[in-house]
């Protein structure tokens, strides 16, 4: 009877032989009926949902840091999120002077500088313009920055890579707004400024502004979260997080960059010869196995789905390859469809660990033909002075007791 049932269930699920063997292994020999259903009424309807009390996953931040928490960052639990969308409540946070409280009834966006007609938009006026929704990731270019110098053996995927998240963003193309203002043909840059205490600002090339930049007010179907820039944020698809100015209050059209703090002393790449590479906007292709990953323990011989995310600031992910034998062989992972440009791309790979110590890793290729390089290759070109823009392969070391740790340290 039991055999009969499990066979028909396997048929129903359409699983291959390897998978169904694993399933059988996890089934108990005598299946007992599920516990009696509760008879009391459940909870009432509510105006705004919240998660089950049994769920505890959270953003990570260092509670004991000397940096005031208003200037710190929090990281997405990549190992505990599914699919490609990051819940807004778990989107990573990075801000330099805290989250301002802005009233959308009084907040405005001013566009001025080299324009024929300077304009001030209210939030409501922006919402009345033709809108677009796009699914894009935002990644801080400091994500996995510690790995340049070998990282920590203790670290997990959330702490190393949690400064990337992916949402559906809704707003107005910047090109629509700039056309309304009549841009001077000499103009080549636009300064974007936030309304937070530090007046966070970045100079953005005009070409990007006219190409796919957006002023967004929506995140995953509802207004932006305060942490993500409520009520208005600049979204620059595929460009380093820092340039996606939150709490946007001003766009100044110019014919040169402003050379603000965030594009001179910070967010530049110190090269081996001591010079600094500036305006490294586009994020290069990157992928990570998120589950199982650092901190998890594998069981020898048990079925295990390796899953993770890949993304690129240039176009679309076309393939993700997995190695489970320390780079000797690579095999293609399955990509969740649809694969969207400049968005997290979920990959999955069925596996069974044989109980021997090894290294597992993923590497991705994007639609420009670029393949994510090993970290050692990046270090050869860029030295060890860098803090930003590490898109090197993340290796996870599996010890013979099944424990997984950061494998980037040789
Ligand atoms: N106004 C303002 N915009 C800002 C910042 C800030 O401190 N102030 N931080 C930047 C940095 S460094 C990053 S990585 C992203 C983080 O976006 P998130 O907090 O929505 O994840 O916002 C960018 N935009
Ligand atoms: Mo950042």
């Amino acid at each position: 009877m039991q055999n009969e049932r499990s066979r028909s269930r396997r048929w129903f699920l359409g699983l291959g032989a390897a998978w169904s063997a694993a399933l059988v292994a996890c089934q108990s020999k005598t299946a007992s009926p599920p516990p009696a259903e509760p008879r009391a009424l459940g909870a009432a309807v509510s105006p705004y949902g919240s998660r089950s009390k049994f769920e505890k996953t959270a953003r990570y931040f260092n509670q004991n840091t000397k940096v005031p928490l208003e200037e710190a960052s929090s990281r997405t639990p990549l190992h505990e999120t599914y699919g490609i969308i990051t819940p807004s409540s778990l989107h990573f946070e990075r801000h330099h002077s805290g989250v301002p409280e802005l009233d959308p009834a009084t907040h405005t966006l001013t566009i001025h500088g080299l324009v024929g007609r300077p304009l001030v938009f209210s939030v409501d006026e922006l919402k009345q313009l033709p809108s677009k929704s796009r699914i894009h990731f935002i990644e801080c270019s400091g994500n996995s920055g510690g790995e340049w110098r070998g990282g920590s053996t203790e670290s997990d995927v959330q702490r190393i890579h949690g400064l990337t998240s992916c949402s559906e963003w809704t707003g107005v193309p910047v090109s629509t707004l700039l056309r309304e203002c009549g841009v001077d043909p000499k103009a080549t840059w636009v300064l974007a400024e936030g309304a937070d205490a530090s007046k966070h600002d970045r100079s953005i090339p005009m070409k990007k502004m006219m190409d796919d930049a957006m002023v967004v007010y929506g995140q995953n179907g509802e207004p932006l979260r305060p942490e993500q820039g409520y009520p208005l944020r600049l979204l620059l698809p595929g460009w380093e997080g820092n340039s996606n100015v939150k709490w946007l209050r001003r766009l100044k059209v110019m014919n040169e960059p402003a050379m603000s703090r965030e594009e001179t002393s910070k967010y530049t790449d110190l090269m081996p010869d001591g010079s600094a590479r500036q305006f490294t906007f586009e994020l290069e292709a990157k992928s990570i196995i998120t589950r199982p990953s650092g901190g998890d323990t594998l069981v020898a011989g048990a079925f295990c789905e390796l899953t993770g995310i890949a993304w690129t600031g240039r176009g679309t992910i076309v393939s993700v390859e997995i190695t489970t034998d320390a780079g000797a062989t690579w095999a293609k992972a399955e990509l969740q469809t649809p694969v969207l440009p400049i968005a997290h791309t979920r990959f999955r790979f069925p596996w069974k660990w044989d109980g021997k110590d090894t290294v597992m890793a993923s590497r991705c290729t994007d639609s420009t033909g670029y393949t994510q390089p090993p970290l050692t290759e990046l270090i050869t070109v860029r030295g060890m002075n860098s803090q930003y823009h590490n898109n090197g392969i993340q290796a996870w070391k599996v010890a013979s007791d099944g424990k997984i740790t950061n494998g980037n340290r040789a």
Side-chain angles (χ1 to χ4, degrees):
M1 192 51 204
Q2 174 62 29
N3 276 345
E4 213 38 53
R5 259 222 308 277
S6 54
R7 202 162 51 227
S8 59
R9 196 165 76 133
R10 267 160 17 220
W11 169 83
F12 178 70
L13 293 171
L15 297 176
W19 292 58
S20 45
L23 256 192
V24 167
C26 17
Q27 281 172 352
S28 67
K29 283 208 180 71
T30 50
S32 44
E37 282 166 28
R39 309 297 292 184
L41 286 174
V45 292
S46 62
Y48 195 84
S50 57
R51 66 177 166 181
S52 158
K53 70 171 188 184
F54 301 108
E55 296 301 326
K56 302 282 188 246
T57 188
R59 294 191 280 225
Y60 167 82
F61 53 93
N62 186 351
Q63 313 263 359
N64 303 318
T65 171
K66 292 200 186 82
V67 180
L69 290 181
E70 292 79 4
E71 297 166 32
S73 59
S74 70
R75 290 154 193 257
T76 294
L78 296 171
H79 57 307
E80 290 173 332
T81 49
Y82 317 121
I84 64 166
I85 300 291
T86 309
S88 302
S89 47
L90 295 174
H91 194 291
F92 85 88
E93 303 161 275
R94 173 75 182 103
H95 34 75
H96 298 75
S97 51
V99 179
E101 194 179 84
L102 301 177
D103 181 347
T106 52
H107 182 76
T108 55
L109 171 63
T110 299
I111 305 184
H112 69 135
L114 298 175
V115 293
R117 202 161 72 106
L119 288 173
V120 179
F121 293 91
S122 71
V123 176
D124 275 345
E125 281 166 348
L126 290 172
K127 286 184 179 167
Q128 279 158 28
L129 296 174
S131 63
K132 277 198 158 67
S133 289
R134 305 284 307 264
I135 294 175
H136 290 306
F137 71 84
I138 291 182
E139 184 187 18
C140 175
S141 50
N143 203 18
S144 61
E147 302 307 291
W148 284 110
R149 281 162 295 281
S152 150
T153 48
E154 311 277 86
S155 283
D156 57 39
V157 72
Q158 179 172 23
R159 280 190 260 182
I160 305 174
H161 297 282
L163 297 176
T164 186
S165 303
C166 185
S167 296
E168 185 195 68
W169 306 99
T170 298
V172 183
V174 172
S175 60
T176 304
L177 305 176
L178 290 178
R179 283 199 190 96
E180 274 301 297
C181 299
V183 171
D184 185 320
K186 285 197 303 288
T188 45
W189 292 78
V190 179
L191 182 74
E193 183 191 68
D196 44 342
S198 63
K199 298 255 183 316
H200 181 95
D201 58 357
R202 286 293 304 256
S203 310
I204 312 300
M206 179 62 80
K207 188 174 177 310
K208 180 68 173 176
M209 288 304 223
M210 297 307 281
D211 182 14
D212 61 356
M214 289 166 72
V215 172
V216 296
Y217 47 78
Q219 177 183 4
N220 296 332
E222 61 181 352
L224 288 174
R225 289 286 164 115
E227 304 95 299
Q228 266 68 63
Y230 182 84
L232 299 175
R233 159 179 226 159
L234 181 65
L235 186 82
L236 300 177
W239 283 26
E240 65 176 355
N242 188 271
S243 61
N244 291 250
V245 175
K246 302 191 278 188
W247 313 296
L248 186 68
R249 68 187 287 262
R250 187 161 76 105
L251 294 175
K252 184 179 184 189
V253 178
M254 309 192 300
N255 56 12
E256 61 185 353
M259 298 296 176
S260 68
R261 173 184 185 270
E262 302 286 296
E263 57 205 24
T264 51
S265 102
K266 304 289 174 190
Y267 292 93
T268 55
D269 299 308
L270 192 53
M271 303 301 276
D273 67 358
S275 66
R277 195 171 74 174
Q278 216 183 351
F279 301 123
T280 314
F281 288 121
E282 259 181 325
L283 293 163
E284 295 186 301
K286 183 168 173 179
S287 71
I288 30 169
I289 297 172
T290 57
R291 204 172 59 242
S293 58
D296 290 332
T297 304
L298 289 173
V299 176
F303 167 76
C304 163
E305 181 184 69
L306 297 187
T307 183
I309 47 171
W311 63 97
T312 172
R314 301 193 184 109
T316 307
I317 293 294
V318 294
S319 82
V320 176
E321 294 161 291
I322 305 287
T323 181
T324 53
D325 54 12
T329 61
W330 294 83
K332 280 204 170 162
E334 187 189 319
L335 304 186
Q336 175 179 311
T337 54
V339 176
L340 301 171
I342 316 184
H344 281 176
T345 299
R346 170 69 51 181
F347 63 83
R348 298 178 170 97
F349 185 82
W351 187 45
K352 208 185 274 181
W353 177 54
D354 63 8
K356 298 197 185 90
D357 58 20
T358 188
V359 173
M360 57 181 197
S362 63
R363 72 173 178 212
C364 63
T365 300
D366 71 18
S367 50
T368 69
Y370 172 91
T371 298
Q372 180 186 11
L375 185 55
T376 48
E377 251 174 51
L378 287 180
I379 290 172
T380 308
V381 179
R382 286 166 47 192
M384 300 269 267
N385 298 327
S386 283
Q387 181 62 32
Y388 304 106
H389 303 108
N390 166 27
N391 66 314
I393 292 173
Q394 169 69 50
W396 296 117
K397 206 166 150 28
V398 181
S400 53
D401 61 1
K403 289 223 167 66
I404 306 178
T405 50
N406 187 358
N408 288 343
R409 192 179 275 269

